[in-house]
Amino acid sequence: MGRLVVVSNRVAVPRRGEPPAAGGLAVALKEAFDSRGGLWFGWSGSVAPNPPDMVRHARRGRVDYAVVDLSDAAYQGFYAGYANSALWPLFHFRLGLLSYDRGQAETYRAVNRHYAEKLLPMLRRDDTIWVHDYQLIPLGAALREMGSRHRIGYFHHIPFPPWAVFSAMPGAEDLIRDLLAYDLVGVQTHRDQAGLCDCMSQGTGMKVRPGGEVRLRSRRTVLRAFPIGIDTDGFAEAARTSVQSPEAERLRTSLVGRKLIIGAERLDYTKGLPERLRAFGALMEGWPEYRNAVTYLQVAARSREDVESYKDLKRDIERLAGTINAEYGDVDWTPVRYVGRAVARDTLAGYYRMAPVGLVTPLRDGMNLVAKEYVAAQDPDDPGVLVLSRFAGAAEGMPEALLVNPLDAQGTAEALAAALSMPLAERRERHGAIFRRLRENTVKSWSGDFLRLLEGNDDPAEAHPPSRAAALSMYQARLSSRSVATSSANSPADKAGTQVADLSTARASRAR
Ligand code: ADQ
């Protein structure tokens, strides 16, 4: 078996003598890299007016890291411009925020061609290439034009909308046709797979066969869902240890017995932060018993601050948090604590374990790993409850979470109240079901499944039927046998029909 060659937008070269950062792609790929060796190629993260036109190399263990710098102009056009101001909003269904500029689109293609030119001479004949995410869609086609006959797979980490949305992008057909250069195109969920197949058939006029197969002359491309997971046991262990740490103790002491609701993400308009604050405000308004009894901690790491829409978002969130604190706060209680920076992974794991409620309500999200990490971090004997947007990819595999529509502040507040008052037996049952699935579908099994199908050994979709179908049937069976005492008939969630609505949405999206 040949080497694994990974191409991703940003490549973080581990310091000499240190393991790769926990979490993220490095963990997913470790096993494959360890067993067969590999090359990891991409942008170094450095930007300069006129960077030297060269590839820098570093060898760590069995992996060669090869990175290039970007010029200011390439960064503006390719990264801040087309990738983050046009593709990112497009793929997240936010056409109102899409800002298209033909020059930036050309820079995006030029940078991808440049990457292909740099990568090609480093390739060996039997390498397998795995390209990651929307910054690099045309890379496969550029490699093919230059003569590459390797197996090339592409994984799309963010949502894939249907053609009715996608076709708003100038040049949409070209982007879809670019995907045909790959042998395998992976997306996160069955909903994304439906969007991708719709774009493929409407954008190219080609027939998508059952199993997501498209044929163009002698080339075959398979379109398939591979829901990404986390290092479940590793994260659970980090949470167990970190909840005893001085940082966790500092937070615990400061709560003075109040219950913690936690949210954590990059500061991004797709994550639904203003909507989440409005929902917390609705909880304070409609459930006075929780005033001075809960604290909502939102950790939001700064992100893409050079993109205009991100600056507006920061202002909105700060204003909303200030309004809630002024309205409901007291001399000894701040309802919303807002921390605007990144927090170390282990520290975050300890905070999750301490929080009876995890609030994860993106407007759209490919998967959302925070939802999975929150569940993995819980104490199985006394777990917290996840309130999760039905528009996160993670919702497909988590029907036992309290699923909400984040645009419905009242509905989300009702779910929060239900979570805060949920009996222990029900919390355990919901947590246990999700946690078992998280242990079966980890980040390692995700990369293994993708590579096995790309390299043609077997078809993981046939080997393992979709976990979501299994999850749903378990859930439905439990509901019909009334073995789950959801919430009592008088509970806010029941009044609002949270459970019924969740299930009907889950059924509807399965049928799509
Ligand atoms: P992201 O949009 O970055 O990823 P997500 O999947 O939630 O979103 O991953 C974020 C990671 O950053 C998590 O591991 C989380 O713990 C960490 N994190 C969040 N807030 C933090 C903070 N304040 N400080 C430090 N760390 C923080 C994209 C897609 C997702 C998809 C992933 C993986 O947008 O939908 O799930 O890729 O495919």
Side-chain angles (χ1 to χ4, degrees):
M1 186 182 290
R3 294 182 309 174
L4 174 62
V5 175
V6 173
V7 191
S8 63
N9 177 52
R10 277 288 285 274
V11 179
V13 182
R15 291 214 187 110
R16 201 173 283 285
E18 282 183 16
L25 272 186
V27 175
L29 303 169
K30 184 172 184 313
E31 219 159 79
F33 277 145
D34 283 352
S35 63
R36 57 203 277 191
L39 171 69
W40 195 336
F41 174 73
W43 174 37
S44 64
S46 291
V47 181
N50 288 302
D53 181 25
M54 58 180 281
V55 181
R56 283 182 283 126
H57 294 267
R59 175 96 179 165
R60 300 285 184 272
R62 298 200 65 191
V63 185
D64 282 313
Y65 291 85
V67 294
V68 290
D69 300 339
L70 284 180
S71 69
D72 287 331
Y75 173 84
Q76 286 305 334
F78 158 74
Y79 184 73
Y82 190 73
N84 284 337
S85 303
L87 289 178
W88 179 265
L90 173 75
F91 280 117
H92 287 89
F93 296 64
R94 299 295 292 273
L95 295 183
L97 294 176
L98 192 161
S99 152
Y100 175 82
D101 175 285
R102 188 180 283 189
Q104 292 179 342
E106 281 162 8
T107 306
Y108 172 78
R109 289 195 168 273
V111 169
N112 271 276
R113 259 194 319 277
H114 177 69
Y115 283 178
E117 278 162 12
K118 295 292 172 204
L119 179 60
L120 203 66
M122 293 186 274
L123 295 177
R124 300 178 192 159
R125 208 166 53 89
D126 58 350
D127 283 343
T128 294
I129 305 170
W130 189 0
V131 177
H132 287 267
D133 231 1
Y134 63 100
Q135 300 92 350
L136 302 172
I137 292 171
L139 184 70
L143 286 166
R144 296 282 183 225
E145 271 169 32
M146 294 172 197
S148 162
R149 302 189 53 171
H150 300 86
R151 283 175 199 276
I152 315 181
Y154 167 77
F155 188 79
H156 187 78
H157 288 257
I158 61 178
F160 217 110
W163 183 245
V165 174
F166 195 81
S167 55
M169 177 70 122
E173 289 83 358
D174 296 337
L175 282 168
I176 293 298
R177 224 170 282 121
D178 280 337
L179 292 173
L180 291 167
Y182 295 106
D183 300 294
L184 176 60
V185 176
V187 288
Q188 299 273 21
T189 64
H190 297 99
R191 183 165 54 196
D192 300 319
Q193 188 181 4
L196 169 60
C197 292
D198 184 47
C199 287
M200 187 55 77
S201 57
Q202 298 210 53
T204 66
M206 290 169 65
K207 183 172 156 46
V208 181
R209 298 170 195 228
E213 191 186 295
V214 189
R215 283 183 184 274
L216 177 62
R217 293 183 285 276
S218 61
R219 166 157 299 291
R220 184 179 93 118
T221 299
V222 174
L223 317 174
R224 195 60 71 77
F226 295 88
I228 196 167
I230 59 167
D231 170 17
T232 309
D233 288 342
F235 203 86
E237 178 55 36
R240 264 195 303 275
T241 310
S242 163
V243 78
Q244 312 290 349
S245 68
E247 288 95 340
E249 190 48 43
R250 197 151 69 92
L251 174 57
R252 195 179 297 108
T253 309
S254 74
L255 292 171
V256 219
R258 295 185 188 98
K259 288 187 170 180
L260 180 65
I261 298 175
I262 194 161
E265 38 265 303
R266 280 186 306 102
L267 188 57
D268 194 295
Y269 54 78
T270 62
K271 303 291 183 184
L273 287 164
E275 292 75 10
R276 197 178 303 175
L277 281 157
R278 283 190 200 103
F280 182 75
L283 177 76
M284 293 293 99
E285 172 68 27
W287 283 263
E289 65 271 31
Y290 290 123
R291 293 183 199 161
N292 214 338
V294 297
T295 293
Y296 164 31
L297 170 62
Q298 178 63 54
V299 191
R302 291 148 66 148
S303 176
R304 303 179 192 168
E305 291 177 292
D306 45 0
V307 178
E308 205 50 44
S309 43
Y310 287 70
K311 290 183 198 150
D312 298 345
L313 174 72
K314 191 162 174 285
R315 271 195 301 274
D316 282 358
I317 293 169
E318 286 165 3
R319 191 178 45 78
L320 274 164
T323 305
I324 295 171
N325 285 340
E327 176 83 19
Y328 300 104
D330 212 331
V331 288
D332 61 348
W333 174 58
T334 307
V336 180
R337 293 188 194 175
Y338 176 66
V339 177
R341 62 177 170 276
V343 168
R345 172 182 173 274
D346 286 8
T347 306
L348 209 48
Y351 292 170
Y352 290 155
R353 192 174 176 100
M354 213 185 291
V357 181
L359 186 54
V360 183
T361 53
L363 302 177
R364 288 280 160 186
D365 219 329
M367 179 54 62
N368 194 302
L369 299 181
V370 173
K372 298 193 169 187
E373 291 167 354
Y374 174 77
V375 174
Q378 297 309 300
D379 174 356
D381 293 331
D382 186 14
V385 179
L386 176 64
V387 175
L388 176 63
S389 162
R390 63 182 45 158
F391 305 125
E396 263 197 18
M398 295 185 165
E400 298 85 357
L402 295 186
L403 298 183
V404 297
N405 182 333
L407 296 174
D408 178 6
Q410 284 296 329
T412 308
E414 281 157 357
L416 280 173
L420 286 163
S421 61
M422 190 179 284
L424 178 62
E426 185 181 347
R427 282 190 278 126
R428 275 195 188 158
E429 193 159 352
R430 287 174 184 268
H431 171 264
I434 304 177
F435 187 67
R436 273 192 295 282
R437 232 170 285 128
L438 289 184
R439 291 196 73 202
E440 282 162 20
N441 301 298
T442 63
V443 71
K444 277 186 193 153
S445 59
W446 166 79
S447 58
D449 286 350
F450 185 94
L451 287 171
R452 246 189 319 280
L453 187 55
L454 175 60
E455 300 188 318
N457 294 339
D458 72 36
D459 183 337
E462 282 161 21
H464 319 285
S467 59
R468 180 167 172 272
L472 274 170
S473 63
M474 271 169 50
Y475 187 58
Q476 285 161 358
R478 281 197 345 211
L479 274 187
S480 60
S481 69
R482 294 175 192 275
S483 66
V484 173
T486 321
S487 308
S488 75
N490 295 325
S491 77
D494 213 50
K495 270 189 272 170
T498 310
Q499 293 305 321
V500 176
D502 294 348
L503 191 59
S504 59
T505 312
R507 280 193 190 119
S509 55
R510 183 169 54 157
R512 254 178 261 142

